[in-house]
Amino acid sequence: MKTNDELFKHVISHAKEYGFVFPSSEIYDGLSAVYDYGQLGAELKNNIKTYWWKAMVQLNENIVGIDSAIFMHPKIWKASGHVDGFNDPMIDNKDSKKRYRADQLIEDKIARYEKDGKTDKAAKLQSDLDAALNEDDLGRLKSIIEEHEIACPISGTKNWTEVRQFNLMFSTQMGAMADGSEEVYLRPETAQGIFVNFLNVQKTGRMKIPFGIAQIGKAFRNEVIARQFIMRMREFEQMEMQFFVRPGTELEWYQKWKETRLKWHLALKPNAAKYRYHDHVKLAHYANAAVDIEYDFPFGFKEVEGIHSRTDFDLSQHQQFSGKKMQYFDPEINQNYIPYVIETSIGLDRMFLTTLCNAYEEEDLSTAEKQDSRSVLHLHPALAPIKAAVFPLTKKDGLPEKARQVMDLLKIDYNIIYEEKDAIGKRYRRQDAIGTPICITVDHQSLTDDTVTIRHRDSMEQERVAITDLERILENIVGWKPLLQSLL
Ligand code: ATP
């Protein structure tokens, strides 16, 4: 039996070995908390994006999608509160010279208390931490670290600096001249690009409240400490949707989006027991409800997605800072108002990691006669990077040519791979490892009766089917339709 630590290491090495995720700049020894997606990772990531986009924009008549720029006017980040408030409390260990997030050091201690059955101590520490964070009391954070004798995991010493605030936004200069240029930020979230385009979209799209604006795009955060592979990165992607509603109706919509978003995750048929809601007890000053959808990663339950009822905070702030009215005229009640907002915000990379952790299995196939096993990714077929692999049984007798004809039939609609090297069993195993739902084998019989063998990834069962039926079979198994229908 593998420990969770070992399992997670296997997931990471599997992701690298098969071309899903590589450390960035690897030949230069990598760049901390930055990753590249390889040939299969890019496909899987695109499929997750497509699933989200279709579920949001295609299935909802009142949601439209945009693509705003990463650079935005610097005042936006003043208005949103990021310049003054988007901070993490950091602390350095003077011996190891390692930097930590003070709150995370304390959270790790809480987890250790819980593991040791010291639940009272854990609860007390949690409430002390919450109070210190709520009051931005950095001195209190330092004393908690001292009182609970928290040591640096590297040096093992308690020789700490003071706790300081660290702003997570990356900045750069816009314009060619060093002195005349303006400091701009790499956006730390995509949401503000939606808020500042609220009027543009509402007017040009003739949108009526309630309506939503969705966006997928890069975000950047100079995380104090980045860890757990693609869980916490400095450059990542978000899929966010802001849903604008009439004030007073926001909690109904919040409830609806909370349910809708969990349904989206569960439609992929993961192990449902690994998902849970985590209601925020302490709310940000502008929010009147907030929940995380958490997934039970090998390192414990962590946030994958947040659903927040953000009141009219963002639009009001932009109205104040820009001097432009951010109001909507509601013809049903004959009133102008600043809409309230429900936000759904999911990290694409975290969703990718959730998908990999869910899918990865080292399956024992041993029988009384022989030991056997396989690594398999039980990806939902609609998300699989390669939908089907086509194999000629041998490299001669016209089988490759026939297999190519099957490829040509299917490759317009789907990402199909052709493979003729190695024994058929080995070829199956390779496709299992990358999550390909179907393997199609062309043999001598195919030349005479136009049938092929298809082999299913999860059951490993095989069946003989007519080539003319392949398109229909694939549509039923790997197409978007069954998945999207389950969301209706
Ligand atoms: P955390 O508490 O884990 O730092 P957060 O509460 O700051 O996350 P939000 O600001 O709500 O996160 O961002 C929305 C989503 O963006 C998160 O649910 C997560 O999936 C993703 N996300 C946030 N920060 C990162 C990061 N550094 N790397 C990858 N994904 C991230």
Side-chain angles (χ1 to χ4, degrees):
M1 191 70 180
K2 253 177 212 68
T3 64
N4 281 341
D5 252 7
E6 283 166 344
L7 176 69
F8 191 45
K9 279 192 188 127
H10 284 217
V11 171
I12 296 172
S13 57
H14 192 88
K16 175 152 189 234
E17 185 182 343
Y18 288 96
F20 283 89
V21 182
F22 306 125
S24 157
S25 325
E26 199 183 6
I27 58 169
Y28 292 94
D29 295 333
L31 182 65
S32 166
V34 185
Y35 290 89
D36 295 337
Y37 287 84
Q39 65 281 11
L40 294 181
E43 297 287 348
L44 175 55
K45 205 173 167 201
N46 278 340
N47 291 340
I48 296 173
K49 283 194 224 183
T50 304
Y51 175 41
W52 185 87
W53 192 267
K54 281 180 183 289
M56 283 293 178
V57 176
Q58 197 170 313
L59 296 192
N60 293 288
E61 287 160 46
N62 59 354
I63 299 182
V64 291
I66 63 164
D67 183 10
S68 71
I70 288 171
F71 289 132
M72 299 171 80
H73 196 287
K75 256 194 184 173
I76 287 172
W77 304 110
K78 198 80 190 143
S80 68
H82 283 82
V83 170
D84 299 315
F86 194 48
N87 299 318
D88 274 343
M90 66 169 191
I91 188 165
D92 293 349
N93 182 272
K94 292 182 194 160
D95 299 318
S96 67
K97 309 267 184 283
K98 281 276 167 199
R99 176 161 291 175
Y100 298 91
R101 258 174 68 178
D103 55 330
Q104 281 178 355
L105 280 177
I106 299 171
E107 271 168 13
D108 290 348
K109 188 77 182 177
I110 294 171
R112 253 173 287 142
Y113 282 151
E114 272 166 359
K115 214 169 148 202
D116 298 343
K118 299 177 182 164
T119 43
D120 286 354
K121 232 172 164 175
K124 168 82 175 60
L125 184 50
Q126 183 71 60
S127 81
D128 286 352
L129 171 64
D130 290 343
L133 289 176
N134 250 3
E135 286 154 26
D136 268 336
D137 189 343
L138 303 183
R140 181 77 195 110
L141 286 177
K142 174 78 189 285
S143 18
I144 292 177
I145 288 173
E146 284 167 347
E147 282 159 26
H148 290 264
E149 302 192 332
I150 297 174
C152 166
I154 309 276
S155 67
T157 71
K158 296 165 202 140
N159 191 8
W160 297 109
T161 61
E162 293 309 304
V163 178
R164 280 162 295 158
Q165 289 290 20
F166 178 77
N167 192 289
L168 299 186
M169 282 198 295
F170 284 100
S171 66
T172 187
Q173 300 298 120
M174 183 168 257
M177 309 293 286
D179 45 352
S181 41
E182 194 168 20
E183 186 180 33
V184 290
Y185 299 100
L186 298 185
R187 65 179 178 199
E189 63 174 30
T190 56
Q192 298 304 324
I194 294 179
F195 289 124
V196 298
N197 278 298
F198 162 71
L199 286 179
N200 283 337
V201 174
Q202 192 270 318
K203 292 205 167 112
T204 57
R206 300 192 297 161
M207 307 301 291
K208 289 204 169 53
I209 271 180
F211 74 90
I213 305 178
Q215 163 154 247
I216 300 177
K218 288 268 184 179
F220 304 83
R221 295 183 187 179
N222 198 2
E223 299 281 358
V224 176
I225 115 149
R227 55 181 179 180
Q228 287 149 341
F229 190 40
I230 54 173
M231 181 74 194
R232 189 173 296 285
M233 304 156 89
R234 297 209 163 96
E235 174 180 341
F236 58 102
E237 251 176 292
Q238 289 184 315
M239 306 192 284
E240 297 196 295
M241 194 278 298
Q242 312 293 322
F243 199 72
F244 301 92
V245 304
R246 188 185 291 165
T249 64
E250 72 276 10
L251 291 180
E252 272 164 58
W253 284 108
Y254 167 75
Q255 196 54 35
K256 180 188 173 293
W257 280 110
K258 186 174 158 177
E259 285 158 22
T260 305
R261 292 307 303 149
L262 185 60
K263 193 171 170 190
W264 182 89
H265 288 272
L266 298 184
L268 294 169
K269 304 256 185 318
N271 175 357
K274 286 190 172 257
Y275 288 80
R276 73 176 186 197
Y277 287 126
H278 176 249
D279 286 307
H280 290 207
V281 187
K282 301 271 179 311
L283 295 171
H285 62 278
Y286 50 82
N288 62 6
V291 67
D292 294 335
I293 294 177
E294 293 188 335
Y295 175 74
D296 190 7
F297 290 97
F299 41 86
F301 273 100
K302 294 276 182 254
E303 169 182 347
V304 182
E305 169 156 12
I307 297 114
H308 313 121
S309 175
R310 298 179 66 103
T311 67
D312 59 356
F313 173 78
D314 301 88
L315 290 180
S316 300
Q317 287 291 102
H318 289 306
Q319 174 163 298
Q320 190 191 329
F321 277 72
S322 68
K324 307 277 177 343
K325 276 222 165 351
M326 300 298 264
Q327 289 193 336
Y328 170 81
F329 175 73
D330 191 331
E332 278 178 32
I333 54 171
N334 224 8
Q335 262 181 36
N336 276 308
Y337 55 77
I338 297 179
Y340 271 39
V341 171
I342 307 300
E343 162 181 86
T344 73
S345 173
I346 173 168
L348 175 54
D349 312 86
R350 261 187 216 182
M351 181 59 199
F352 187 103
L353 185 58
T354 308
T355 307
L356 270 192
C357 291
N358 249 324
Y360 181 77
E361 190 187 6
E362 290 169 21
E363 216 174 83
D364 186 2
L365 302 173
S366 302
T367 56
E369 290 81 47
K370 70 169 178 145
Q371 293 251 312
D372 197 8
S373 68
R374 65 168 182 166
S375 297
V376 52
L377 288 185
H378 298 287
L379 293 169
H380 189 288
L383 298 190
I386 310 281
K387 303 302 182 195
V390 180
F391 307 149
L393 188 63
T394 64
K395 282 191 225 170
K396 47 186 201 291
D397 304 332
L399 297 186
E401 290 74 12
K402 187 76 181 169
R404 292 273 179 207
Q405 282 172 16
V406 174
M407 276 283 288
D408 288 346
L409 179 73
L410 303 174
K411 73 179 185 195
I412 306 283
D413 289 318
Y414 303 107
N415 203 7
I416 310 286
I417 203 171
Y418 174 86
E419 186 101 69
E420 58 179 27
K421 205 170 152 271
D422 296 323
I424 210 84
K426 219 168 171 187
R427 284 185 254 170
Y428 282 154
R429 289 299 153 86
R430 193 175 151 76
Q431 296 307 315
D432 290 343
I434 63 173
T436 307
I438 295 168
C439 292
I440 303 168
T441 304
V442 172
D443 57 17
H444 291 90
Q445 189 185 331
S446 312
L447 300 177
T448 56
D449 68 0
D450 275 327
T451 62
V452 289
T453 304
I454 63 173
R455 183 256 193 196
H456 299 271
R457 177 195 68 202
D458 296 342
S459 64
M460 294 190 283
E461 273 166 16
Q462 301 190 11
E463 56 180 321
R464 193 93 203 164
V465 304
I467 290 175
T468 48
D469 282 342
L470 280 174
E471 280 176 282
R472 184 184 50 80
I473 294 171
L474 251 69
E475 168 63 26
N476 284 340
I477 297 176
V478 306
W480 286 109
K481 214 174 191 172
L483 179 57
L484 293 177
Q485 262 165 352
S486 71
L487 295 178
L488 296 178

